[in-house]
Amino acid sequence: MEKIYSRTTTIQEDKVSGFCPGCMHSTVVKLIGEVLDEMGLVDKAVMVTGIGCCGLHMDYIAYDTITAPHGRATAVATGMKRTSPDSLIFTYQGDGDFASIGLGESISAANRGENISVIFINNGIYGMTGGQMAPTTLLGMKASTAPKGRIAEEHGYPMHMCEILNQLTAPCYLERTSCNTPQNVIKTKNAIKKAFKNQIEGKGFSMVEIVTSCPTNWGLDPLDALDFIEQKMLPEFPLGVVRDR
Amino acid sequence: MARVLMKGCEAIAEAAVRAGCRFFAGYPITPQNEIPEYFARRMPEVGGTFVQGESEVASVNMVYGAAAAGTRSMTSSSSPGIALKSEGISYCAAARIPIVYANISRGGPGVGAIQPAQQDYFQATKASGNGGFEMLVLAPSTVQEAVDLTYAAFDYADRDRNPVLILADGVIGTMMEPVELPPMKTDEEIAAIKAGKAKWACTGHQLDYANRAWIQPGQWNTQIMQQENEKAAALYASWEKDVQVEEYLVEDAEVVIAAYGVSARIGKSVVDLCRAAGKKAGLIRPITVHPFPYAAFDHINYSVCKAVLDVEMSIPAQLVQDVRMGVKGRCPVETCLCSGGNIMSREAVLRAVDAILDK
């Protein structure tokens, strides 16, 4: 019988995922592993994780990894890629990490056109610390630090990182995807593959923004969280290629 | 080897290049701009990389990344910039990543004053970031010593897999002096140093769950965290052998000046003036301000010594607390201080010495 699918080699078999039921971090981590397997890049891969739930898989992946201070992943990746150009250096960051505390590092690394790949997980909330407001929290969406919901006059508006980085000249690839349907999972995998391919080809800064759910802190069961992505998140964060050159 | 005339900041940078430093990231701040400017010119000549970071925070994290990938790496700044770097330095200490950094320090809290001062002693020696980590802190008093200590700092950092701090001031940083530069490490030597880090450096490894590189600046598991802290404490305890101190005419001294960096240099000239006038002064100059050379103060003859005079360009006095721990109450400890960017004068130290001797 022909083998058409197998578990990625990059996830250790004896370890247990630390992610909540329905959390799409595990989906994205699996996709990254599959892409590394398919591209033959496992032995070159270095993941720079941010702080937060984005670091929960460090324990069970099989490739090299380093934890950056909160928000500083693209700066750490800059130092790594500049001195180790043959390695595949990618960051894995949440919205608090990439778009709030790390905004300066994120925009500056993109503006320098650093030859790195950024996997940016946008679920509109702080997960690990317990549901505080993120820069990507939707208007009206409740958070533990915005108990009446995000109010534009007080908190400003959700930040659109693909569009913000699209103001810069240097980045080569910016795409927003999601993992809420099988089709979107496939598109996300292809986007990750393209971001890694760009780096191998020396094309510069690539960023894949992945709109995901946080059932635990959204207060929704996993299936309702999928509906929330479709009905609330995607109108605010439209999917698609923002830049590809 | 012929001596060359160099400014302190540039000499520090050249010493780093010669030690095999091939990555530098920094952010402009006076009075240390000559360090990043020198690296910006020099690194392309030796196949190294210079990056002007968007901030001190980003710069130290670039250095964290480059060093984590196995390259000898450095950053530098001045007082408030060092405060911003403290997060990254703490991460390097926690993750056991060897980096070297220099603080050409300023004259007070906040933005301070850009003129020479020694106002960062506590920050440098007691708490350079969160979490109670420690570092070797080397305090040169001449440009030559800045060169030699910077060159050695990279070996210490790699030996211990820990950050090393060069603590200097605007006098050392901006003064020009003739220096003898150490030998340039060859490309082969630099490659061998990097190869020696291949097991733990994050550059990609063959698929092997047990032996991938996993650089962790913290732990989920409380038992492992305690073990890591215990290992670090054992490392810090091993530094007793690395203590460096200059003891000058201490045995018969009736007054002993305790000072580091440029203040010690001024203090030493006061000792010479005193001795020429028949006055018995001596000097203890910590070169490693951490670990501190407490034992040097046991060499003072307390039956003749009237007082130890702490001389530092800091108000309030900071070094004095370590000096008191060395003296252990065996004689009085007096202070001679200036601050805010005012340079210690020989006359002020001489007056303070005379006041002690006249008692």
Side-chain angles (χ1 to χ4, degrees):
Chain A
M1 194 181 288
E2 187 191 0
K3 187 176 184 181
I4 59 167
Y5 184 82
S6 63
R7 179 191 171 97
T8 168
T9 64
T10 63
I11 293 179
Q12 302 185 33
E13 291 185 5
D14 57 337
K15 296 288 175 65
V16 177
S17 161
F19 296 120
C20 302
C23 174
M24 291 177 185
H25 272 298
S26 46
T27 310
V28 178
V29 171
K30 183 190 74 169
L31 294 178
I32 291 170
E34 289 178 356
V35 170
L36 293 175
D37 282 333
E38 290 169 20
M39 295 180 77
L41 291 171
V42 176
D43 61 349
K44 291 188 182 306
V46 179
M47 179 181 65
V48 185
T49 67
I51 297 288
C53 289
C54 61
L56 279 172
H57 57 299
M58 287 182 304
D59 191 37
Y60 64 85
I61 58 169
Y63 43 88
D64 287 5
T65 184
I66 176 171
T67 301
H70 198 20
R72 321 300 175 210
T74 56
V76 173
T78 295
M80 299 191 115
K81 187 67 185 181
R82 294 281 191 115
T83 57
S84 188
D86 294 335
S87 302
L88 179 86
I89 310 290
F90 65 95
T91 72
Y92 187 87
Q93 304 174 259
D95 38 39
D97 201 87
F98 187 73
S100 183
I101 191 170
L103 192 58
E105 284 80 2
S106 302
I107 289 179
S108 299
N111 189 46
R112 288 190 303 270
E114 293 294 340
N115 190 28
I116 59 174
S117 314
V118 172
I119 311 298
F120 166 41
I121 306 296
N122 173 7
N123 60 13
I125 203 136
Y126 283 71
M128 183 175 281
T129 46
Q132 294 83 9
M133 185 177 63
T136 47
T137 297
L138 303 178
L139 287 179
M141 192 172 167
K142 288 183 178 175
S144 63
T145 50
K148 294 178 182 170
R150 183 172 193 157
I151 302 162
E153 294 73 20
E154 186 180 348
H155 307 117
Y157 295 84
M159 290 177 74
H160 303 83
M161 290 309 293
C162 275
E163 289 76 4
I164 288 171
L165 297 187
N166 197 31
Q167 300 304 307
L168 305 172
T169 305
C172 72
Y173 175 54
L174 305 166
E175 180 169 359
R176 186 180 291 119
T177 68
S178 184
C179 286
N180 63 322
T181 65
Q183 293 91 333
N184 280 338
V185 170
I186 291 169
K187 285 182 181 173
T188 297
K189 182 174 173 180
N190 288 334
I192 293 169
K193 192 175 282 185
K194 188 172 181 71
F196 289 177
K197 187 163 172 281
N198 286 342
Q199 185 180 151
I200 300 297
E201 293 173 356
K203 291 174 75 174
F205 189 90
S206 298
M207 192 267 280
V208 182
E209 174 178 346
I210 307 168
V211 178
T212 63
S213 61
C214 180
T216 300
N217 287 300
W218 288 1
L220 297 173
D221 73 40
L223 288 177
D224 291 340
L226 295 181
D227 293 338
F228 188 88
I229 290 182
E230 193 68 40
Q231 292 162 12
K232 304 287 186 182
M233 293 286 279
L234 297 189
E236 182 69 35
F237 299 108
L239 304 184
V241 177
V242 176
R243 177 180 299 184
D244 183 10
R245 60 188 183 204
Chain B
M1 189 175 171
R3 295 206 293 176
V4 291
L5 190 65
M6 289 191 87
K7 189 181 259 198
C9 281
E10 298 188 336
I12 287 171
E14 179 60 27
V17 167
R18 285 167 181 257
C21 175
R22 289 296 177 270
F23 185 86
F24 181 94
Y27 184 83
I29 181 171
T30 307
Q32 61 84 57
N33 293 312
E34 292 87 345
I35 296 178
E37 287 167 353
Y38 189 89
F39 275 112
R41 298 192 299 272
R42 188 76 168 104
M43 279 304 202
E45 297 175 354
V46 295
T49 303
F50 166 82
V51 181
Q52 177 171 329
E54 61 271 25
S55 67
E56 285 90 350
V57 174
S59 300
V60 72
N61 280 293
M62 291 175 189
V63 168
Y64 172 43
T71 297
R72 284 193 159 181
S73 304
M74 180 174 182
T75 187
S76 66
S77 192
S78 181
S79 307
I82 294 291
L84 286 169
K85 288 183 195 291
S86 64
E87 173 195 57
I89 291 159
S90 177
Y91 269 67
C92 288
R96 301 297 295 276
I97 298 301
I99 69 163
V100 173
Y101 72 107
N103 179 5
I104 314 298
S105 66
R106 288 185 168 207
V111 75
I114 61 172
Q115 293 84 1
Q118 297 179 309
Q119 207 75 29
D120 290 348
Y121 183 82
F122 287 158
Q123 182 202 42
T125 61
K126 310 303 180 198
S128 299
N130 62 296
F133 67 92
E134 298 181 25
M135 299 177 297
L136 286 172
V137 183
L138 311 172
S141 71
T142 66
V143 177
Q144 181 67 59
E145 197 170 45
V147 165
D148 297 339
L149 292 175
T150 302
Y151 196 75
F154 285 90
D155 289 335
Y156 286 130
D158 280 351
R159 182 196 68 183
D160 297 338
R161 288 186 59 185
N162 202 60
V164 175
L165 168 60
I166 308 294
L167 177 64
D169 55 70
V171 177
I172 304 298
T174 57
M175 175 170 59
M176 292 186 84
E177 285 192 292
V179 290
E180 187 172 327
L181 292 166
M184 177 72 97
K185 291 243 189 289
T186 63
D187 290 347
E188 291 73 26
E189 287 171 316
I190 292 167
I193 290 168
K194 191 166 184 172
K197 303 174 183 177
K199 190 166 166 46
W200 59 261
C202 265
T203 57
H205 281 77
Q206 289 292 324
L207 185 64
D208 177 351
Y209 296 152
N211 295 311
R212 66 176 170 134
W214 183 9
I215 293 178
Q216 299 171 277
Q219 301 291 336
W220 298 112
N221 180 301
T222 58
Q223 292 304 322
I224 297 175
M225 187 74 251
Q226 178 164 330
Q227 286 164 12
E228 292 300 316
N229 288 338
E230 286 168 351
K231 275 191 252 175
L235 169 69
Y236 309 151
S238 76
W239 289 339
E240 197 61 31
K241 64 185 183 303
D242 299 315
V243 170
Q244 292 184 52
V245 59
E246 180 184 3
E247 297 174 33
Y248 185 61
L249 305 175
V250 168
E251 287 86 350
D252 64 340
E254 293 173 12
V255 57
V256 173
I257 293 169
Y260 73 99
V262 71
S263 293
R265 189 162 169 168
I266 295 156
K268 192 171 181 180
S269 70
V270 169
V271 170
D272 288 338
L273 284 174
C274 288
R275 289 283 173 168
K279 294 183 273 192
K280 290 182 177 173
L283 172 82
I284 291 176
R285 175 173 76 90
I287 299 169
T288 53
V289 283
H290 188 83
F292 192 83
Y294 296 109
F297 293 85
D298 295 338
H299 303 155
I300 294 172
N301 182 348
Y302 290 101
S303 62
V304 298
C305 185
K306 295 183 173 179
V308 169
L309 179 64
D310 170 81
V311 177
E312 54 181 314
M313 284 153 55
S314 172
I315 296 174
Q318 300 177 60
L319 173 74
V320 71
Q321 295 201 9
D322 279 323
V323 171
R324 288 200 187 104
M325 286 174 68
V327 171
K328 294 178 194 154
R330 288 172 284 187
C331 74
V333 176
E334 310 280 349
T335 58
C336 176
L337 311 175
C338 66
S339 179
N342 295 303
I343 298 173
M344 182 64 65
S345 77
R346 224 163 38 175
E347 293 69 28
V349 181
L350 199 51
R351 277 197 302 274
V353 168
D354 284 340
I356 291 167
L357 291 174
D358 291 345
K359 273 183 187 170

